[in-house]
Each structure stands twice: as structure tokens, then as C-alpha cells.
Amino acid sequence: MSAIAQTTAGIIEGTEENGLCIFRGVPFAAPPVGDLRFKAPRPVESWDGVREAKSFGPISLQAPNEMLEALLPASDPPQPQSEDCLYLNVWTPGLEGARPVMVWIHGGAFTIGSGSEDYYDGASLASRGDVVIVTINYRLGALGFLNLPALGETNFGMRDQVAALKWVQANIANFGGDPGNVTIFGESAGGMSVASLMASPEAAGLFQKAIPQSGAAHNALSVEETNATAFRFCQALGVDPEDVDALMAADPADILAASVAVDPIASAETASDMADAGASATPQMPFQPVIDGAFLSSMPIEHIRAGSADGIATLVGSLDEEMKLLAAAGPGEPMSEEAVTAMFGMMHPDAASAYGTYRAARRERGEDDSPDEIFVAAIGDVMLRVPGLRLADAQTSRAPTYAYLFDWKSPGMNGALGSCHALELPFVFGTHAAAPEFCGSGPVADAFSELTMDTWLNFARTGNPAGDGVDAPAWDANSKPIQVLGDNPRVEHDWRGPEVGVWDEVIS
């Protein structure tokens, strides 16, 4: 059956499936092609008649990368790619009413992913919570984040996200949603995007709640850093950095190849390679939000500390063993204590003391204190967990703020994955049954997915994640209460505090 809805650009026809109205491939901005390549998004042109919205639109151009793709579900068949990629998808229980709205921003190191990945099917969340789910695409890699003086514009991918949120404000009431109750949520680069939107004046007023998952407000690059990357990109592409016409005419395949050439993560072959990139003082993700003086004037965390997200209720968190997925995706020889201490030295002024603190804390808790385990714990803390806690510290005086830790264990690879990066995604969306080897299966896994969905849905409805399953005290920078989500839901205070304390004077 069909479902018909009015947008500001024209009428669209979606489908009715299992009690939901679903609209796929809805354009929210003009195709960023031709003269609009390397430009901020422009309004979508209106159309006459009824436009079909029954199939997902093309996704942003992206180069394959085995290490990164280990973090995301693979779509079958592969999704078509195009520079014409600015589409969103809507799942709604009905076209009347004023339901909470949840807008999903996908992850993938700002270089891969889409809003139409299999894990991100919005049907279960929309049905269970009587909410409207929106998933979006945005431009990735150089096409989304190249910062070259001759172009005169930057942050295209971030401004795509803003354009999608403006579409929600203008249109979601016609899909049964409340534009005054919008939650943005995203994971990894999507979580970093959420925090950047909390920081940017260009996104002010477009949402009321935020859930940064495994990514927070410490990811943005200076003009100098991004210009240096852009010049290397042009060298790899074989064009003069001043020759805008050549950039506009470049073949998309050549743009992707040049993007990979300047990206240490895209060229990583092992977990150690990727961790080297993440721990290095040089930018580990050359394509990410740019501190351009307009979209961002400083690091997102500084904007947030100054009150950019005043009144935005926030639920921020990470997984307990984030980097185990990377370790499993790129297995190598066991690491020595000397090698891991050297890695600490790239991140901490007193590497031996920092390593010793991790080892002692893990021993006291009866956990594996091998160099490999300490390595993955520390990299996860530096890249994801500690920035999330800093965001909670910054936001707690500005709006209701909560912190979670996800410690459900994956059965994958005989348990080697643990509570790894991206594991929460299928539980948040209720799509876990499609990946039993990754998520587990059976009544316990089903009940845990319901608990996870309800936590996110409670927060979207009320700004408080607490529910029947587990309490959720508001964040306090002294007692540090964490809502732990796993096979033993509970509240912990200052969980893994000794390790987190290692970074107190290092990560601001």
C-alpha cells in the first residue's frame, strides 16, 4: 500500500509496511554535483506531481576499506553510490499527531557509511516507541570535508547534516512528528557529528536533545591542518591547488583514490596501524569537521563549555571495550609491554606511570592485564571514552545530562570481540536478530535490545533515559554516575576511575 505526504518541495509517495508509513530516498537538498561540488548544500528544487519515495537514494561516494567496514554492517546487495546523495528516510507510525522525532547520523570515520545501512532500519524503534525515525546521508571524505583556500567554502558534510535538520523542522509535522521535540543521535563519526552540531551556531534551534555514541566533542581540525591535507590531496589527484576548474572536473574515482592516499586510517591494514594513526599527534582522520571560523570557531568542547548547547538534554556514552573490534579485525602478533609503553608515550608525558596504573587497576579487578588488553583499553579511552566524559562534565550545568556505558559482550570470534565498538547499534535499532553471530540471540538478547531501545526512547520522549530496567542518575562531575547497560544493568560510580584519571591533565 502507498502513503502520501506533502513536503515543502512537493508531494511524495512512500509505502505502508506493518503499520508504518515509510518514505525512502527523500531529497533534502539539491544534488551537490556540477557547479555545486565543494559547495554548501543548496535548497532542493520543487517538483510537480507526485515523486516516488519507495527506494533508498544513492549513498555518498566512498572507497572500500576492510578495516573500517568491519565497524559497519554490509548491505546486500551493495548500495549504489553517487555524488547525488543528499537523501533521507522516514519511518512513522502515522501522518497525524506530534510524536517525538529521532534523527540518526551514521558513523564511519567521515569516509564511509550511509543512513540506509541494514542496522539502521527504523521500523522497530518507530513502532515500539511511537516515534518518528529519520536517517540521513551526508557527503564523505574529500567531497564532504576538503578545506582548500581556492574553494572558499568548507564543512560541506556538516552543513549537509544541518540542511537535513532544517528539512525536519520544515516538514516533519506532515509526517506525524513534533519539530519541537527532535533528538539527534549518532555513533562514532556520527557521535562526533552530534557534538559538533551541539557546538555550531549554524545548528542552533534545530534540535532539543542529543545522544553522542562513542564519539564526542574533541574532533575537529584547524584550517592549517586541513589546508595541509588539501594540498597533499591535490598532489595525489594531480591538480594545482589553485585550479578550481580542474577540481570541479576531476573524475569521482580519482577523487576517491586521492582521498585514500592522504588518509592513514583508510590505508591501515592492522589494528596497530589504525591505533598508530589514532594515537599520533598528527590528525588521525584528515576528513572531519573544520574549525573554519563560521561553522566552528574552536574545538566543539570549547563551544559546549561556553554554553552553545544550553538547554540541550544530553545522553553520552561509549562501550567498555571499544577497540576490541579493531584488534579482532586486524590481528597481529601479541604486543610486548615495551611496545605498548611506547604507544603510551605518544599520548602521555609519563608513559611508564600511565601503563602501570592501567595494569594495577585491571589486576585489582581481576581482569586480563596483558599488554594487548591494556593497549586496546587505553586507545579506546583516549579516542572515545574520556572525550565523552569531558562532554558530560561540560554540559551538566547547562542541561540534564546522563552518561551510559554499554558492556554487553559479543559472542563473535569466541568472545574476543567483547563489548566492542559498534556493538550497541543493532540493539539500539532492534535489528540484532539479523546478526546473531555478532550480537547473540535468544530471549536474553531480545530482552536486552528492548531495554536498550527503551532507554533511547525514554530519553527522546522526556530527556531522561531512566525506565523500568535501570535507574539513570543525572551526571555529576564528582560522583560520576554511569548507567551501565548489559546483562547486569546497574549504576556504577566513577567506573574505571583510575584509568580515566590517567588522562586528567592530558585530555582537556
Side-chain angles (χ1 to χ4, degrees):
M1 295 179 62
S2 295
I4 303 293
Q6 178 73 52
T7 75
T8 53
I11 299 171
I12 58 174
E13 181 180 5
T15 63
E16 290 189 26
E17 303 172 26
N18 300 317
L20 295 174
C21 298
I22 304 175
F23 301 85
R24 300 178 173 93
V26 181
F28 63 85
V33 300
D35 292 341
L36 296 185
R37 176 189 276 180
F38 300 125
K39 298 290 184 185
R42 303 300 195 260
V44 64
E45 292 187 6
S46 299
W47 57 83
D48 296 325
V50 178
R51 176 173 180 142
E52 186 174 282
K54 299 181 179 180
S55 301
F56 293 121
I59 68 174
S60 178
L61 291 176
Q62 49 198 269
N65 175 264
E66 291 184 5
M67 285 292 290
L68 287 179
E69 287 169 354
L71 309 182
L72 292 168
S75 293
D76 187 19
Q79 302 176 93
Q81 300 183 16
S82 173
E83 284 191 75
D84 176 8
C85 64
L86 299 185
Y87 298 93
L88 57 76
N89 317 292
V90 182
W91 289 259
T92 179
L95 302 180
E96 304 294 331
R99 298 172 179 83
V101 180
M102 301 179 69
V103 180
W104 174 250
I105 303 172
H106 71 80
F110 297 104
T111 57
I112 67 170
S114 76
S116 48
E117 299 283 355
D118 293 344
Y119 279 0
Y120 310 151
D121 186 298
S124 292
L125 266 181
S127 295
R128 184 171 183 83
D130 192 31
V131 299
V132 179
I133 302 297
V134 180
T135 68
I136 69 171
N137 293 343
Y138 55 97
R139 282 172 283 179
L140 302 169
L143 290 167
F145 296 92
L146 191 69
N147 183 26
L148 195 64
L151 294 174
E153 296 186 43
T154 190
N155 275 318
F156 322 117
M158 294 307 304
R159 290 182 165 112
D160 292 342
Q161 297 175 16
V162 171
L165 292 174
K166 288 180 176 177
W167 184 95
V168 168
Q169 286 297 306
N171 292 282
I172 207 66
N174 290 338
F175 294 78
D178 179 1
N181 187 4
V182 175
T183 299
I184 60 172
F185 66 131
E187 182 265 351
S188 197
M192 298 166 193
S193 294
V194 167
S196 293
L197 293 167
M198 293 172 68
S200 177
E202 296 184 18
L206 298 180
F207 56 95
Q208 291 71 42
K209 304 181 186 74
I211 311 177
Q213 303 171 209
S214 298
H218 283 66
N219 293 88
L221 299 177
S222 69
V223 168
E224 293 75 19
E225 289 171 313
T226 52
N227 283 349
T229 295
F231 286 123
R232 294 197 304 272
F233 168 84
C234 288
Q235 184 178 33
L237 187 60
V239 303
D240 189 299
E242 299 293 329
D243 191 347
V244 174
D245 289 340
L247 282 165
M248 292 297 192
D251 186 272
D254 294 334
I255 288 176
L256 287 179
S259 298
V260 171
V262 301
D263 188 346
I265 286 184
S267 57
E269 295 181 356
T270 69
S272 183
D273 289 343
M274 188 171 288
D276 284 343
S280 171
T282 59
Q284 75 273 24
M285 292 189 298
F287 301 115
Q288 58 178 296
V290 181
I291 302 171
D292 59 2
F295 187 84
L296 291 172
S297 298
S298 61
M299 287 292 288
I301 189 66
E302 298 302 333
H303 281 272
I304 292 168
R305 285 186 179 127
S308 63
D310 253 3
I312 303 296
T314 303
L315 172 62
V316 59
S318 58
L319 293 100
D320 197 35
E321 300 170 303
E322 290 275 5
M323 291 300 130
K324 282 198 170 182
L325 184 57
L326 297 183
E333 294 297 317
M335 300 185 74
S336 67
E337 182 173 325
E338 291 74 18
V340 176
T341 302
M343 180 67 69
F344 269 90
M346 300 172 68
M347 306 179 290
H348 197 282
D350 190 346
S353 174
Y355 182 91
T357 297
Y358 270 80
R359 181 175 56 196
R362 295 184 71 86
R363 283 181 178 175
E364 184 174 344
R365 293 192 299 263
E367 297 171 348
D368 187 340
D369 66 341
S370 66
D372 280 337
E373 289 292 327
I374 292 173
F375 168 75
V376 296
I379 296 297
D381 287 345
V382 168
M383 295 181 69
L384 300 172
R385 182 153 191 250
V386 173
L389 298 179
R390 297 290 185 268
L391 174 56
D393 288 341
Q395 186 65 359
T396 191
S397 66
R398 303 286 183 176
T401 301
Y402 303 86
Y404 73 87
L405 182 74
F406 195 95
D407 77 348
W408 178 268
K409 309 296 184 185
S410 170
M413 301 186 69
N414 295 316
L417 293 175
S419 53
C420 63
H421 195 63
L423 180 59
E424 89 276 24
L425 296 175
F427 291 100
V428 168
F429 279 90
T431 55
H432 64 289
E437 68 287 348
F438 184 42
C439 303
S441 60
V444 175
D446 294 343
F448 178 62
S449 183
E450 292 175 355
L451 171 66
T452 306
M453 285 192 286
D454 288 345
T455 300
W456 265 240
L457 291 165
N458 291 340
F459 182 78
R461 277 192 296 267
T462 69
N464 185 329
D468 294 337
V470 65
D471 191 16
W475 179 255
D476 173 82
N478 294 315
S479 63
K480 302 179 176 61
I482 300 280
Q483 182 186 26
V484 179
L485 298 171
D487 57 3
N488 176 27
R490 64 195 188 277
V491 173
E492 294 278 1
H493 289 82
D494 199 20
W495 180 239
R496 301 195 184 279
E499 296 99 308
V500 171
V502 160
W503 309 106
D504 281 351
E505 305 302 321
V506 179
I507 300 174
S508 64

